């Protein structure tokens, strides 16, 4: 399915350079996307981060990957 492709990309990191972020209380996908300082619509950044991680779950202590580009 579609999710398998996203998962493979997230695991290999081949699609783009990423960094790991450990979630702290108060972090949201929107706050993380805002820190990326990417051009364009923040909703696109949010979508790309969620897609990169393969899940919309966000919990304190969780490791998520964020694109560097």
């Amino acid at each position: 399915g579609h999710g398998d492709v996203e998962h493979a990309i997230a695991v290999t990191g081949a699609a783009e350079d990423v960094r790991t972020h450990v979630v702290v209380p108060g972090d949201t996908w929107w706050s993380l996307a805002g820190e990326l300082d990417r051009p364009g619509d923040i909703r696109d950044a949010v979508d790309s981060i969620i897609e990169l991680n393969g899940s919309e779950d966000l919990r304190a202590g969780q490791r998520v990957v964020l694109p560097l580009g």
Side-chain angles (χ1 to χ4, degrees):
H2 184 59
D4 297 335
V5 175
E6 293 173 1
H7 185 64
I9 292 170
V11 168
T12 62
E16 54 186 323
D17 292 330
V18 298
R19 65 180 173 90
T20 303
H21 171 81
V22 178
V23 178
V24 298
D27 274 353
T28 66
W29 292 118
W30 287 80
S31 68
L32 295 177
E35 290 175 16
L36 295 181
D37 195 32
R38 300 181 87 174
D41 196 318
I42 191 171
R43 285 174 296 189
D44 293 336
V46 171
D47 288 344
S48 65
I49 297 172
I50 292 173
E51 189 171 321
L52 199 60
N53 286 280
S55 171
E56 290 191 32
D57 295 336
L58 197 63
R59 299 179 303 278
Q62 175 181 346
R63 288 179 181 274
V64 296
V65 289
L66 302 175
L68 291 173

